[in-house]
Amino acid sequence: YFAVCRDDEEMECELYVKDENCRNMGCIFQNVTIGTEKAYFLVNGSSKDSLIQFYDEYIDLYKIEILTAPLNITAHCTRDSASCIITWHPPLTSHVEKAKCFQYEISIQNE
C-alpha cells in the first residue's frame, strides 16, 4: 500500500510482481502523482504457516522512481556546417516539476 502520509487513506498495489511460484514479490504503481517528495509505503503479508511482520517506511520518491526516456526527441542536422541541434522534453515524473532538475547525456553512435 502507499499513501502520502501515514494518516491518509492507503492505495492498494495496482500490479503485483510475482515470482516463479506465483507469490507476490513486488508492486508497480502506475500514473501516480504525489505532491510531496516522500510517500508512506506499507508492505504486509500472510501465510498459513507463520506470522509475517509488516514493513512500513517513508521513502524519498526520487530515489526509487524509474523514469521514462525524454519525450519528443528531434534532431536537425545540416551537411554544410556538419552540426546538429537536438531537442527534447523532460520525462514525465510523479514529483519533479522543474526541467532544470534533470541532467542528460548524449551518446553519438555514428559521426
Side-chain angles (χ1 to χ4, degrees):
Y1 298 87
F2 98 87
V4 174
C5 69
R6 207 172 265 168
D7 298 329
D8 287 349
E9 185 177 342
E10 297 165 341
M11 179 193 296
E12 187 172 353
C13 181
E14 297 171 24
L15 179 61
Y16 285 102
V17 178
K18 298 186 179 289
D19 68 6
E20 62 276 355
N21 296 316
C22 291
R23 293 177 296 204
N24 295 337
M25 300 299 290
C27 176
I28 297 172
F29 289 99
Q30 298 176 332
N31 301 318
V32 173
T33 301
I34 300 172
T36 61
E37 289 185 9
K38 290 187 179 220
Y40 173 70
F41 289 87
L42 168 68
V43 179
N44 61 15
S46 60
S47 169
K48 59 184 176 197
D49 299 324
S50 65
L51 291 174
I52 299 175
Q53 184 174 345
F54 74 90
Y55 173 82
D56 67 336
E57 181 179 359
Y58 278 94
I59 297 176
D60 293 314
L61 296 177
Y62 70 91
K63 291 181 180 177
I64 64 166
E65 184 173 17
I66 299 172
L67 299 175
T68 62
L71 307 169
N72 299 329
I73 300 170
T74 60
H76 298 286
C77 301
T78 60
R79 292 180 191 214
D80 300 340
S81 63
S83 65
C84 293
I85 297 174
I86 302 170
T87 60
W88 59 85
H89 293 117
L92 302 173
T93 71
S94 67
H95 62 285
V96 176
E97 296 178 7
K98 298 177 183 171
K100 68 181 183 180
C101 293
F102 292 99
Q103 293 181 2
Y104 300 95
E105 180 178 312
I106 297 174
S107 174
I108 300 173
Q109 303 296 317
N110 263 337
E111 293 186 32

